[in-house]
Amino acid sequence: MSLVEVSGLSISFGDVRAVEDLSFSLEAGGALGVVGESGSGKSASAYALLGLHRGTGAEVGGSVRVAGVDVNAADDAELRALRGAKAAMVFQDPLSSLDPYYAVGDQIAEVYRVHNRASRRAARARAVEVLDRVGIPDAARRSRSRPHEFSGGMRQRALIAMALACEPQLLIADEPTTALDVTVQAQILDLLHGLRRETGMGLLLVTHDVGVAAESVDEVLVMQSGRAVERGPVGEVLVAPREPYTRALLAAVPRVTQPRVAPGTEVAPDGSGVAGASGIAEVPGAVGASGTAEVPRAVGVSGIAEVPGGAEVPGAAGGPGEAAEAADVLVEAVDVRQVFGRGKSAFAAVDGVSLTVRRGETLGVVGESGSGKTTLGRMLVGLREPTSGRLTRRARVQMVFQDPVSSLNPRRSIGESVADPLRAAGERDESVIGARVRDLLTRVGLDPESYHRYPHEFSGGQRQRVGIARALAAEPELIVCDEAVSALDVTTQAQVTALLARLQRELGLALVFIAHDLAVVRQVSDRVAVMRRGRIVEEGEVDEVYGNPRDPYTRQLLAAVPALDPALAAVRRAARKELAAA
C-alpha cells in the first residue's frame, strides 16, 4: 500500500471548484513536488491530506488515504491521531503557525506530549533534540526563545523540528521557502533532503518555484486550474516537458545564468498570459544594452530634498556633458548610515553606503535577510532619515512594498487607496480624481470599473498592481520596489516585472529593485549592488557582476540559487555539504 493514495479528489468552496478529479500516489520514502501558479489548487489538495477542510464549509469528494487512514471517513479522534504523529505539515508562514507568547521549545514539547505519554521533562528533552537535529545552534538555550527572537530561517527550522517531533511517516511542506533568501532557502532544502534520507519519511512539497522542486523531489505533479496536467520524474518533466502549460511555466522562470536580453513578450492588458522567457515586457525602440529607452529630460522636477546630516550637492561645474550627467542623477547617497538602538545595543543596519540612481535606469539591490536592503530603500524614499552621511534626492520618489495585503487598507476600496496621493497633493475635484484613478488602473492592467472593490477581492498579483498604481498617482520619477514580486508565483512575477518594464519605458521611470531573488534581479536590472551586513560589497553592471563576481559573498549567493537541472542541483547540494563539513 502506498503512503499516500488520492483518487478523484474534488474540493469546492461554494460555486468555486478549487480541485477537480485529482489522483496521485506517493510511496514511503518518496518525494513528490506539486507545482503550479497561485490558485491552481496546490495548497487545497495538500490540506485535504490531513482533513484540514473539515468544518470550513468546503465540499470534499473522492478518496484520500494517508498512512492507511481514510481521511474523508475518519472521525475527529482518528484525524487527531493522524495529524502530527503519522503525517505532519510545515506551513508557509511560521509567524502565523507559532504562538508568539510561548517559547519555541515549549510548543514543540506540547506537540510531543499530545501524541506520546511522556513527562514534561522528557518532552522538553525531545524538543531540544529535534531543534538540534534541524541545525538550531545552542538548541538547549534557544529552545527557551520566543518566535520573534528567531530569524525567518530559524523559525522555519523550528516548524520543521515541530513536525519531526513524533517521527511522522509523511511530511507535507507548503511553500516552506517562499519568503527566505537564497542561502537560507538552500539550507532548508538541504535539510529536508537530508532528513528524508535519514528517516525514510515521505515528502510532499508544495511550491510555485520550479527551481525549488528541482532541488528537492523525485517526481513532479504540475497543476493548473485544479487539475493535474503533467506528472513524471523531475528530470523528465523539467528538462523535456510534454504539456504546453508546463513549458510556459518553465519559460517564465528567470535564469541566473541568462544575461539580460532584449525583452520578450508584452504582458496582456488584463494581466493574463506568460511574459516570455525573460519575464520582461517588450520595449519597442529601446536603446543600449540596458533595454531602456532614451527619454527626454523631465520638466517640473521637484527641488532638492535634503536630509539632516547632509549638505546640498553642488551643481556641476564642468562642461555641458558633465552638467547633463549630473542632471541625470535622481538620488545620491554618500556614506549613509542607519543605526538602531543606543550604546552597547546600537546596531548599524546600513553602514557607510554610497550609491547613485540615474534617470531611466534600474538598480538592483540583492543580499540576504538582514543585509540592510529594506532599510536602505526606506532611506532612499525618505521614510527613514540617515543617522549620518549625505542623501540627496532630486526627484519625486515612491515605494512599492513587499506585501500589498498589509500596505493596502482592507476597509477602503482600491480606488480610494489609489486616490490618496492625489488628495494629498491638493486635488479636490472628485471628477478629476475619479478619472485619474481609472486611468491609472487601466495603465497597470486592471479593470477601471473595479474602483469600488476591496483588496481581498483580488489575487496577489492584482493587489501588487494596485500598489503600483498608487505609487504612480504621485507622478514619481523614481520608484523603489521592496521585494515587490517575492511572494508571487513565476508567471505572476513575470507579469509584474513586465508591467514595471513597460511603465519604465512609457514614463521614463528609474527603479530601485530590492530582492533576494538573484535571477529576477539579473533580468530586470542595468546595475546591481550586493549588500552584506549593511555594506555594499560589490557593485557594477549586472552582466559583469553575475558573470565575473569578485567578492566571495557574491559567489556564495550565486551558488545558492536553485538550478532547474536536477543533476546540477545534486552537484551543488553535495558541494554545499562538503563546504559545511570543512
Side-chain angles (χ1 to χ4, degrees):
M1 181 187 298
S2 300
L3 176 61
V4 176
E5 293 180 343
V6 175
S7 178
L9 175 65
S10 64
I11 304 172
S12 297
F13 300 93
D15 295 332
V16 178
R17 182 79 101 173
V19 179
E20 188 165 357
D21 195 24
L22 178 67
S23 299
F24 66 88
S25 62
L26 174 64
E27 302 303 314
L32 174 66
V34 183
V35 302
E37 298 172 279
S38 298
S40 62
K42 308 184 303 295
S43 293
S45 303
Y47 293 170
L49 300 186
L50 295 180
L52 295 178
H53 294 301
R54 186 167 296 185
T56 66
E59 295 182 13
V60 181
S63 172
V64 178
R65 297 188 69 87
V66 177
V69 177
D70 186 338
V71 175
N72 292 342
D75 58 30
D76 291 345
E78 290 174 314
L79 280 183
R80 283 195 297 271
L82 170 68
R83 298 168 182 166
K86 295 180 181 179
M89 193 160 192
V90 177
F91 294 92
Q92 176 176 348
D93 182 11
L95 269 182
S96 63
S97 303
L98 294 169
D99 192 316
Y101 291 102
Y102 292 95
V104 169
D106 290 342
Q107 296 183 57
I108 297 173
E110 182 65 21
V111 170
Y112 187 70
R113 294 191 71 205
V114 165
H115 294 284
N116 297 274
R117 293 182 177 179
S119 65
R120 291 184 183 275
R121 182 185 296 272
R124 284 282 305 171
R126 177 60 177 166
V128 173
E129 178 186 347
V130 292
L131 284 171
D132 181 70
R133 191 175 192 176
V134 300
I136 298 293
D138 196 3
R141 181 179 65 84
R142 296 312 302 266
S143 69
R144 296 189 289 273
S145 300
R146 286 172 172 75
H148 73 272
E149 299 178 89
F150 278 22
S151 67
M154 288 176 65
R155 283 193 292 264
Q156 200 61 280
R157 287 173 183 267
L159 274 188
I160 294 172
M162 185 181 293
L164 293 175
C166 298
E167 298 184 349
Q169 301 171 47
L170 171 68
L171 180 66
I172 304 168
D174 183 20
E175 301 280 10
T177 63
T178 295
L180 304 179
D181 58 62
V182 288
T183 52
V184 179
Q185 175 179 267
Q187 294 166 12
I188 296 298
L189 296 178
D190 290 349
L191 171 63
L192 290 174
H193 185 271
L195 290 170
R196 185 165 67 90
R197 297 296 187 215
E198 292 172 14
T199 66
M201 69 179 182
L203 173 66
L204 184 82
L205 177 67
V206 175
T207 180
H208 65 248
D209 190 327
V210 184
V212 167
E215 291 266 351
S216 314
V217 301
D218 307 318
E219 290 189 299
V220 173
L221 172 67
V222 181
M223 292 189 67
Q224 180 188 25
S225 302
R227 291 180 174 272
V229 297
E230 187 163 359
R231 181 182 177 179
V234 63
E236 293 182 10
V237 174
L238 299 189
V239 174
R242 301 186 307 273
E243 297 297 321
Y245 175 73
T246 309
R247 291 196 292 270
L249 197 65
L250 288 168
V253 178
R255 271 76 163 176
V256 74
T257 56
Q258 181 182 37
R260 189 179 185 191
V261 295
T265 305
E266 176 69 89
V267 68
D270 62 357
S272 62
V274 176
S278 69
I280 310 174
E282 180 100 36
V283 187
V287 295
S290 69
T292 56
E294 183 176 350
V295 295
R297 300 286 179 263
V299 294
V301 177
S302 60
I304 296 175
E306 274 309 308
V307 297
E312 182 177 328
V313 176
E322 293 181 18
E325 184 177 347
D328 272 342
V329 175
L330 302 182
V331 173
E332 182 179 34
V334 179
D335 198 28
V336 295
R337 300 181 81 240
Q338 180 69 63
V339 179
F340 296 103
R342 294 181 179 179
K344 294 182 179 180
S345 63
F347 169 71
V350 174
D351 191 7
V353 166
S354 298
L355 57 78
T356 59
V357 183
R358 293 180 172 83
R359 192 180 311 280
E361 76 167 346
T362 300
L363 172 67
V365 181
V366 300
E368 296 173 286
S369 297
S371 62
K373 307 186 303 296
T374 293
T375 302
L376 175 62
R378 288 175 178 268
M379 286 196 292
L380 293 180
V381 299
L383 291 178
R384 284 197 175 276
E385 296 179 351
T387 305
S388 62
R390 187 183 73 211
L391 197 154
T392 306
R393 288 183 294 274
R394 293 188 174 91
R396 294 180 296 273
V397 294
Q398 285 291 310
M399 195 165 196
V400 176
F401 297 92
Q402 175 177 354
D403 182 11
V405 173
S406 61
S407 61
L408 293 172
N409 188 332
R411 298 178 182 274
R412 306 188 70 210
S413 72
I414 63 159
E416 288 301 296
S417 290
V418 174
D420 282 342
L422 300 174
R423 295 193 175 102
E427 181 59 62
R428 295 293 179 264
D429 189 327
E430 290 299 319
S431 63
V432 172
I433 290 173
R436 175 63 175 154
V437 169
R438 286 174 171 80
D439 176 67
L440 287 166
L441 293 177
T442 301
R443 184 178 285 276
V444 299
L446 294 174
D447 183 353
E449 299 308 312
S450 61
Y451 185 112
H452 297 291
R453 294 173 61 190
Y454 289 84
H456 72 272
E457 300 179 70
F458 294 85
S459 68
Q462 289 173 325
R463 284 193 291 262
Q464 201 58 284
R465 289 170 182 267
V466 175
I468 294 170
R470 182 176 58 182
L472 291 175
E475 298 185 346
E477 296 153 281
L478 167 65
I479 295 180
V480 175
C481 301
D482 183 21
E483 299 282 9
V485 298
S486 64
L488 306 178
D489 60 63
V490 289
T491 49
T492 307
Q493 187 179 83
Q495 293 161 15
V496 173
T497 55
L499 170 64
L500 288 169
R502 176 170 61 81
L503 293 171
Q504 185 176 36
R505 169 178 59 85
E506 293 175 352
L507 304 176
L509 295 171
L511 299 176
V512 174
F513 198 90
I514 298 170
H516 63 250
D517 189 327
L518 277 78
V520 172
V521 168
R522 179 164 200 177
Q523 295 304 308
V524 303
S525 303
D526 302 302
R527 293 187 297 120
V528 63
V530 182
M531 291 193 69
R532 185 187 191 193
R533 297 175 181 172
R535 293 180 174 272
I536 293 179
V537 298
E538 187 161 358
E539 182 181 4
E541 297 296 320
V542 66
D543 288 342
E544 176 63 24
V545 171
Y546 278 68
N548 186 31
R550 301 186 307 274
D551 192 88
Y553 177 69
T554 307
R555 293 195 290 270
Q556 177 188 343
L557 287 180
L558 292 170
V561 177
L564 287 178
D565 182 350
L568 177 58
V571 171
R572 288 184 174 182
R573 183 166 51 244
R576 289 194 296 265
K577 186 175 181 180
E578 289 181 8
L579 184 63

